[in-house]
């Protein structure tokens, strides 16, 4: 394709006409048929090219130009609805042994030896929805989205006959019912038959068909599709009138919602196991797809005590059906180099369909795994996909091994930069020693730096980072903040003489609009929160949770850096959740000259906000460091810890001079002794509880 600036007037006019047609066809395929014939990237590229040509030839802009169509942008299809309570996901397990672990962990957390009742529910393979009722009237509906913000599908949901639009007297004045929308197997087959007859695109499975049908801009199309639903949980509720999941189901039924008749309370592990066997047996005959069984602690009071992990409840888990497997050939074994130099082997496979998804790569984890399973190029391998995880090689078939096969030799040099790749004694992973001179590591670090939980710069996707790195435009994170300056001149001034700016807008696939958007996205990040900044640095072992802990405990980047530079680690290792090895990595990172240089450079362009802690500050425990030891009687350790944190206290794992209180339970050991030695105040459980109430 010609560069935009090389187009003649005639060529430009012809191309604009062709683009208008192509984009309209793509919109039609997307909106009317829910069968996009272009990828998002291809679609965006067409729109960019259209905008770039229009920019150069403003008088050629057509009446039917795609740039004039309001709401044509694929991304902004639906308006957004923020969930009052996040729509969470569930942890996955794949065996009864893991279910047993889950049940044990629930008991441990609740500090009880008694059996706990669980509601076992078929896990429906559809898409979740939230329906909001105010004074008994359906007012809005949303998809799950990212769990925090979903899409407004109010009108679409209204077309589902099973969804009551009006509830009987006596329901809570605010009631959000959540559940799963699905397409029954028969309805899916019929829809695909119709599509085949009309030469329209076929859906891969009932789940995709349900998603495609519900997420229609035109609700009339949703109405034509046969969609069904099961209700199974709630979001915001003004007055909760039920105390167990079972009672909630009774209420739902009374209100007119479809509730799955297979939902069943199980109290012993045997009941759980028998139920799972039964559901597995009838799975194929069920009129809808399921992918496992969900277990929820039946008592709401216990659910509340158990609370939540970051994205999943502690009181529920999904027991998924075993992973699907397929046999295929390993064509090659490739070595990928990660952000911290880790060499990860990946198998390139003869593409194979595993449970409805085409799989062409599988992770091989590390050097030892390849040795242990004796995985070789040319082998036939059993490949497994489990949930959303990257496909894995379960085993290779020795009976099908080619006669000339040779064991795989793991490289001892980096395939990307040639530096030595070494493996520390007790490490499973071999690492490239090239550091920032290794292009693969540098690129991965940049990708991490701009990723969602870090600087979150849209417009700097993986491909762009790789191209910009290869072309010398961005070599280090700080370079991101100087590209606008380096871009040179007014970006539409194509023929400025002697101007040696970058002129990103002249690059293939870019135009003034996309370049301006990129600059905007970058400039919006010149101020950044402390946790994001720490996470973005890519300190080995420091994920976003640890970055948050560091931010909470140090408050400012200067405070953190000062301690780390001085190798002052007392405060660091006192943080519950930061182990000795992680602490070492953090200190080493801050004492590495190239990291210091990078941080200094970055801070010329980026303002790092101090961390404002929103936990309680008015409690007598606020800002105090508390250590727990021994067995508590009224609550578990985890509950006590959560309570202390709510009051703004820091909970540490070991007693040091920084400790303010040591809460001593029964059979306390060395920590109580150490507290006495250091003259630190000890509290009984009762005293601690009292302090949390003032
Ligand atoms: S409960 C906090 N119950 O599975 C609990 N989810 O992996 C939230 N799902 O996003 C979900 N059947 O789309 C729950 N009986 C059921 C379910 C179910 C299917 C889906 C749902 C959710 C996902 C979680």
């Amino acid at each position: 394709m010609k560069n935009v600036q090389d187009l003649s007037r005639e060529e430009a006019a012809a191309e604009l006409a062709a683009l208008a047609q192509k984009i309209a066809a793509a919109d039609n395929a997307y909106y009317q048929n829910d069968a996009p014939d272009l990828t998002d990237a291809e679609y965006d590229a067409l729109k960019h090219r259209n905008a770039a040509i229009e920019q150069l030839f403003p008088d050629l802009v057509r009446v039917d130009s795609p740039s004039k169509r309001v709401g044509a942008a694929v991304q902004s299809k639906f308006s957004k609805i923020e969930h009052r309570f996040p729509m969470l996901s569930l942890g996955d397990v794949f065996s009864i042994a893991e279910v047993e672990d889950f049940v044990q962990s629930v008991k441990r957390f609740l500090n009880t030896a008694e059996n706990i009742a669980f509601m076992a529910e078929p896990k429906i393979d559809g898409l979740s929805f939230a329906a909001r009722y105010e004074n008994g009237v359906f007012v809005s509906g949303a998809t799950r989205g990212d769990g925090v913000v979903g899409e407004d599908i109010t009108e679409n949901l209204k077309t589902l006959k099973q969804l009551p639009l009006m509830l009987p007297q006596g329901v809570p004045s605010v009631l959000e019912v959540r559940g799963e929308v699905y397409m029954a197997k028969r309805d899916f087959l019929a829809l695909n038959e119709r599509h085949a007859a009309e030469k329209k695109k076929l859906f891969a499975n009932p789940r995709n068909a349900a998603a495609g049908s519900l997420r229609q801009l035109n609700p009339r199309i949703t109405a034509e599709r046969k969609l069904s639903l099961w209700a199974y949980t709630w979001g915001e509720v003004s007055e909760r009138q039920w105390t167990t999941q079972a009672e909630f189901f009774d209420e739902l039924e009374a209100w007119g919602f479809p509730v799955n008749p297979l939902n069943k309370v199980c109290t012993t592990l045997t009941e759980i196991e028998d139920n799972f066997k039964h559901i597995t047996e009838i799975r194929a005959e069920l009129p809808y797809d399921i992918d496992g069984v969900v277990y929820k602690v039946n008592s709401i009071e216990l659910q509340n005590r158990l609370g939540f992990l970051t994205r999943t409840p502690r009181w529920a888990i999904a027991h998924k059906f075993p992973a699907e497997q397929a046999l295929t050939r390993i064509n090659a074994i490739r070595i990928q180099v990660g952000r911290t130099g880790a060499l990860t082997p990946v198998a390139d496979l003869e593409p194979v369909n595993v449970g409805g998804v085409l799989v062409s790569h599988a992770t091989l984890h590390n050097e030892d795994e390849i040795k242990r399973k004796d995985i070789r190029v040319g082998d036939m391998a059993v490949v497994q996909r489990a949930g959303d995880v990257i496909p894995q090689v379960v085993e290779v078939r020795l009976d099908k091994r080619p006669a000339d096969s040779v064991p795989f030799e793991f490289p001892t040099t980096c395939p990307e930069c040639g530096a030595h790749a070494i493996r520390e004694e007790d490490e499973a992973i071999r690492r490239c020693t090239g550091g920032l001179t290794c292009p693969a590591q540098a690129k991965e670090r940049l990708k991490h730096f701009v990723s969602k939980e870090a600087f979150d710069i849209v417009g700097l996707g993986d491909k762009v980072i790789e191209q910009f790195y290869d072309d010398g435009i961005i070599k280090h994170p700080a370079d991101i903040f100087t590209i606008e300056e380096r871009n040179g001149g007014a970006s539409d001034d194509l023929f400025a003489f002697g101007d040696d700016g970058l002129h990103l807008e002249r690059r293939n696939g870019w135009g003034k609009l996309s370049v301006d958007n990129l600059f905007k996205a970058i400039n919006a990040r010149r101020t950044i929160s402390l946790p994001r900044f720490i996470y973005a640095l890519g300190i080995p072992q420091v994920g976003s949770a640890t970055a948050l802990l560091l931010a909470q405990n140090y408050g400012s980047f200067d405070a953190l850096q000062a301690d780390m530079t001085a190798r002052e680690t007392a405060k660091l290792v006192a943080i519950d959740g930061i182990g000795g090895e992680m602490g070492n990595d953090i200190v080493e990172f801050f004492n590495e000259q190239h990291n210091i240089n990078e941080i200094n450079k970055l801070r010329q362009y980026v303002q790092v906000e101090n961390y404002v802690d929103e936990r309680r500050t008015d409690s007598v425990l606020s800002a105090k460091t508390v250590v727990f030891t021994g067995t508590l009687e009224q609550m578990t350790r985890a509950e006590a810890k959560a309570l202390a944190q709510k009051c703004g206290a820091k909970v540490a794992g070991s007693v040091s001079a920084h400790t303010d209180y040591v809460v001593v339970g029964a059979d306390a050991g060395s920590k109580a002794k150490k507290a006495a030695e250091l003259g630190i105040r000890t509290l009984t459980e009762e005293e601690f509880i009292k302090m949390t109430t003032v």
Side-chain angles (χ1 to χ4, degrees):
M1 201 174 10
K2 262 192 184 178
N3 281 339
V4 171
Q5 61 267 28
D6 298 332
L7 293 175
S8 69
R9 256 187 89 74
E10 290 68 35
E11 286 169 331
E15 202 176 332
L16 285 178
L19 281 166
Q21 213 173 38
K22 252 196 208 161
I23 293 171
D27 282 341
N28 194 50
Y30 191 96
Y31 291 115
Q32 308 311 324
N33 307 330
D34 211 63
D37 47 4
L38 296 179
T39 64
D40 284 359
E42 286 166 341
Y43 181 88
D44 286 345
L46 292 182
K47 301 253 310 196
H48 278 146
R49 178 125 181 128
N50 190 71
I53 301 175
E54 289 185 343
Q55 179 72 36
L56 264 191
F57 301 93
D59 56 320
L60 293 183
V61 175
R62 304 166 57 90
V63 228
D64 64 348
S65 164
S67 62
K68 291 191 169 174
R69 295 253 316 264
V70 191
V74 172
Q75 299 88 333
S76 54
K77 273 178 75 166
F78 289 95
S79 54
K80 307 279 182 220
I81 288 190
E82 193 166 331
H83 301 299
R84 300 282 177 94
F85 293 91
M87 288 180 80
L88 300 170
S89 53
L90 295 169
D92 282 345
V93 295
F94 289 89
S95 66
I96 194 73
E98 290 171 293
V99 174
E100 189 169 359
D101 288 347
F102 163 72
V103 173
Q104 285 310 333
S105 75
V106 166
K107 287 189 182 175
R108 224 177 303 124
F109 194 99
L110 296 172
N111 212 356
T112 177
E114 278 168 40
N115 275 338
I116 307 253
F118 288 92
M119 178 62 80
E121 309 169 20
K123 186 168 189 299
I124 315 302
D125 199 6
L127 66 154
S128 45
F129 72 92
R132 188 181 174 84
Y133 296 80
E134 288 174 8
N135 301 314
V137 178
F138 173 67
V139 288
S140 64
T143 61
R144 177 172 184 272
D146 61 3
V148 178
V149 178
E151 288 172 326
D152 184 342
I153 50 160
T154 309
E155 296 308 315
N156 310 55
L157 271 183
K158 276 187 189 164
T159 70
L160 268 74
K161 299 201 177 56
Q162 286 180 312
L163 187 85
L165 298 181
M166 195 94 96
L167 303 181
Q169 292 278 312
V171 300
S173 53
V174 173
L175 171 66
E176 194 192 310
V177 172
R178 294 176 176 180
E180 200 89 350
V181 169
Y182 65 93
M183 189 176 282
K185 293 176 187 169
R186 288 178 36 192
D187 296 328
F188 159 72
L189 292 174
L191 174 67
N192 260 359
E193 256 173 47
R194 215 172 68 218
H195 271 204
E198 293 167 8
K199 298 218 158 37
K200 284 189 190 160
K201 203 179 147 186
L202 303 186
F203 290 107
N205 51 47
R207 211 202 85 82
N208 285 3
S213 304
L214 191 62
R215 295 178 65 259
Q216 280 286 341
L217 208 53
N218 180 355
R220 249 175 293 158
I221 296 171
T222 311
E224 287 166 9
R225 306 275 173 86
K226 289 213 173 90
L227 291 174
S228 310
L229 69 94
W230 296 121
Y232 53 64
T233 193
W234 65 92
E236 193 182 10
V237 172
S238 51
E239 311 92 31
R240 181 166 53 76
Q241 304 153 335
W242 53 93
T243 62
T244 62
Q245 180 74 14
E247 277 174 36
F248 175 62
F249 283 153
D250 292 343
E251 298 268 29
L252 279 178
E253 278 196 315
W255 297 334
F257 289 91
V259 176
N260 196 317
L262 294 170
N263 296 341
K264 181 175 178 335
V265 177
C266 298
T267 308
T268 63
L269 204 67
T270 319
E271 278 172 29
I272 288 180
E273 196 171 359
D274 288 348
N275 179 68
F276 187 76
K277 274 191 196 138
H278 173 65
I279 301 281
T280 306
E281 277 163 22
I282 60 169
R283 178 183 183 189
E285 294 144 35
L286 288 177
Y288 47 88
D289 275 348
I290 61 173
D291 55 353
V293 176
V294 178
Y295 306 115
K296 300 174 185 168
V297 169
N298 192 33
S299 150
I300 314 297
E301 191 213 322
L302 296 187
Q303 287 186 5
N304 289 342
R305 267 178 69 192
L306 285 154
F308 300 89
L309 297 162
T310 326
R311 287 184 189 83
T312 57
R314 256 195 217 99
W315 43 266
I317 204 151
H319 185 184
K320 305 277 279 283
F321 295 128
E324 310 205 47
Q325 301 188 333
L327 194 66
T328 192
R329 186 174 307 280
I330 298 178
N331 286 333
I333 296 178
R334 234 176 338 113
I335 307 289
Q336 279 179 349
V337 184
R339 171 165 63 85
T340 57
L343 305 193
T344 308
V346 176
D348 282 340
L349 306 170
E350 194 59 41
V352 63
N353 189 323
V354 188
V357 173
L358 202 64
V359 169
S360 46
H361 312 283
T363 175
L364 298 176
H365 301 289
N366 57 47
E367 197 170 347
D368 291 346
E369 175 90 351
I370 297 184
K371 262 210 197 106
R372 194 168 62 77
K373 293 182 176 165
D374 188 18
I375 298 170
R376 305 180 181 190
V377 175
D379 273 346
M380 291 302 285
V382 177
V383 179
Q384 163 172 303
R385 239 186 81 236
D388 292 334
V389 301
I390 313 164
Q392 299 168 322
V393 168
V394 182
E395 59 173 11
V396 292
R397 286 289 182 77
L398 296 182
D399 54 325
K400 298 196 190 249
R401 174 166 280 174
D404 57 351
S405 127
V406 287
F408 180 73
E409 279 215 35
F410 206 90
T412 51
T413 55
C414 171
E416 298 280 344
C417 73
H420 283 294
I422 56 167
R423 193 171 155 186
E424 302 288 346
E425 238 169 64
D426 45 354
E427 269 233 40
I429 289 166
R430 191 174 282 279
R431 286 177 202 278
C432 159
T433 54
L436 279 185
T437 58
C438 171
Q441 282 189 55
K443 286 179 195 173
E444 291 308 313
R445 279 196 186 205
L446 285 166
K447 289 179 196 170
H448 172 81
F449 186 85
V450 300
S451 66
K452 204 151 175 64
E453 288 181 90
F455 270 70
D456 189 21
I457 300 178
V458 272
L460 285 180
D462 288 0
K463 283 242 173 67
V464 176
I465 288 284
E466 281 178 21
Q467 287 167 3
F468 282 12
Y469 183 91
D470 289 338
D471 295 350
I473 296 169
I474 297 176
K475 288 281 187 194
H476 302 278
D479 298 342
I480 294 169
F481 298 95
T482 60
I483 42 174
E484 179 164 13
E485 217 172 287
R486 288 182 285 133
N487 200 41
S491 49
D492 49 357
D493 185 5
L494 289 172
F495 309 106
F497 183 70
D499 171 2
D500 57 357
L502 295 172
H503 286 295
L504 298 181
E505 67 284 352
R506 294 180 193 171
R507 293 175 73 87
N508 225 340
W510 289 80
K512 180 170 158 41
L513 197 70
S514 46
V515 170
D516 283 349
N517 282 341
L518 175 62
F519 294 162
K520 259 189 224 148
I522 292 172
N523 291 333
R525 296 290 182 267
R526 287 185 187 262
T527 303
I528 191 98
S529 74
L530 182 55
R532 277 181 184 270
F533 187 74
I534 296 172
Y535 174 68
L537 293 177
I539 305 166
Q541 302 201 54
V542 176
S544 51
T546 307
L548 180 63
L549 281 178
L550 290 170
Q552 284 171 342
N553 282 277
Y554 285 91
S556 73
F557 191 76
D558 289 330
L560 172 67
Q561 194 177 20
D563 264 19
M564 296 303 98
T565 312
R567 296 182 180 276
E568 171 52 60
T569 58
K571 193 168 179 181
L572 184 70
V573 295
I575 302 174
D576 198 16
I578 295 189
E581 268 191 33
M582 196 195 280
N584 271 345
D585 274 357
I586 299 172
V587 172
E588 289 317 316
F589 180 91
F590 279 95
N591 281 286
E592 188 78 65
Q593 193 55 47
H594 66 253
N595 293 332
I596 299 172
N597 295 345
E598 187 59 46
I599 290 170
N600 290 342
K601 256 203 275 170
L602 264 174
R603 296 193 70 196
Q604 288 175 19
Y605 308 111
V606 173
Q607 190 81 27
V608 185
E609 292 171 328
N610 289 346
Y611 185 79
V612 186
D613 211 323
E614 277 166 2
R615 292 168 298 181
R616 266 186 74 184
T617 54
D618 55 347
S619 154
V620 285
L621 287 172
S622 301
K624 302 289 187 206
T625 302
V626 180
V627 173
F628 291 96
T629 179
T631 314
L632 302 177
E633 267 161 20
Q634 306 188 30
M635 58 184 98
T636 65
R637 181 74 68 83
E639 284 180 307
K641 190 174 147 188
L643 188 58
Q645 282 169 339
K646 247 193 214 156
C647 292
K650 290 168 195 161
V651 179
S654 59
V655 179
S656 75
H658 294 276
T659 311
D660 294 293
Y661 301 110
V662 178
V663 181
V664 183
D667 307 320
S670 64
K671 287 185 200 171
K673 209 169 123 206
K674 186 149 183 213
E677 280 167 19
L678 293 173
I680 291 164
R681 182 157 166 213
T682 57
L683 303 173
T684 64
E685 186 175 357
E686 276 73 41
E687 285 172 320
F688 165 70
I689 293 174
K690 227 181 237 155
M691 287 173 89
T692 63
T693 60
V694 286

